[in-house]
Amino acid sequence: MDADAAENWVRSWSASVSERAAQAQEMSRLVADLSVSATSADGAVRVTVAATGVVTELRLSDRVQGWPGARIAAEVMTTMRRAQAQLAEAVADVAARTVGESSETGRAVVASYTERFPEPPESSDDDRSRRRQDGW
């Protein structure tokens, strides 16, 4: 390889590294801004979580007033876990738009979210389709 070819290769490699770093930075920014909400099947509980999985909003409808405390707690926890589980899908969407879903970075970040926030066993596609978004 002559000197000009080597120099061109180094420039190309450097530009590629810079572009991947910018994409990773953009993914990081978008993931940090994520917020996901889930609503219980009956619409009585709505939980919003940040990208970290931390609850940022909890809404209870008036229907919960007659419920025992244990039922309220169970509905809140189940709905929170559903919201957290949706984070992996949201992160996968961000990864696909920025670093690419098949990139090593994208796969690693999505795997991390899938591991930390697995789909709750009691959740199903039917539960998701019954979630109510109205009135919140």
Side-chain angles (χ1 to χ4, degrees), residues 6-7 14 18 27 40-41 48 52 59 63 66 71 76 78 81 89-91 96 98 100 109 115 118 128 135:
E7 189 175 322
S14 179
S18 294
M27 181 183 72
S40 62
T48 301
T52 58
R59 291 189 182 193
R63 281 181 274 174
R71 180 176 175 196
V76 167
T78 298
R81 287 184 185 109
E89 185 176 325
V91 168
T98 55
V109 172
E115 184 178 309
R128 282 191 210 110

Side-chain angles (χ1 to χ4, degrees), residues 10 17 38 43 45-47 50-51 53-54 61 68 73-74 76 86 91 93 96 99 121 135:
V10 169
V17 169
V45 176
R46 179 177 169 91
V47 177
V54 173
S61 77
V76 167
Q86 291 176 25
V91 168
D93 290 341
V99 298

Side-chain angles (χ1 to χ4, degrees), residues 7 29 36 39 47 49 57 63 95 103 111 117 122 131 135-136:
E7 189 175 322
R29 184 186 67 75
V36 179
T39 303
V47 177
V49 296
E57 184 177 22
R63 281 181 274 174
S103 72
F117 305 116
E122 63 273 56
R131 287 187 198 143
W136 296 100

Side-chain angles (χ1 to χ4, degrees), residues 3-132:
D4 288 337
E7 189 175 322
N8 286 338
W9 182 86
V10 169
R11 280 190 198 132
S12 174
W13 177 81
S14 179
S16 174
V17 169
S18 294
E19 181 180 345
R20 285 194 305 263
Q23 291 169 338
Q25 233 176 358
E26 177 68 0
M27 181 183 72
S28 178
R29 184 186 67 75
L30 292 172
V31 166
D33 290 343
L34 280 177
S35 177
V36 179
S37 297
T39 303
S40 62
D42 63 2
V45 176
R46 179 177 169 91
V47 177
T48 301
V49 296
T52 58
V54 173
V55 174
T56 58
E57 184 177 22
L58 171 63
R59 291 189 182 193
L60 305 174
S61 77
D62 290 340
R63 281 181 274 174
V64 303
Q65 287 182 354
W67 294 2
R71 180 176 175 196
I72 295 170
E75 284 294 321
V76 167
M77 294 303 292
T78 298
T79 306
M80 178 194 71
R81 287 184 185 109
R82 286 181 186 147
Q84 290 171 332
Q86 291 176 25
L87 285 170
E89 185 176 325
V91 168
D93 290 341
V94 169
R97 292 191 325 259
T98 55
V99 298
E101 61 189 329
S102 62
S103 72
E104 187 176 329
T105 301
R107 287 192 317 268
V109 172
V110 172
S112 169
Y113 272 83
T114 302
E115 184 178 309
R116 286 187 314 185
F117 305 116
E119 188 71 32
E122 63 273 56
S123 182
S124 70
D125 289 341
D126 289 340
D127 289 339
R128 282 191 210 110
S129 67
R130 287 192 306 242
R131 287 187 198 143
R132 293 179 44 173

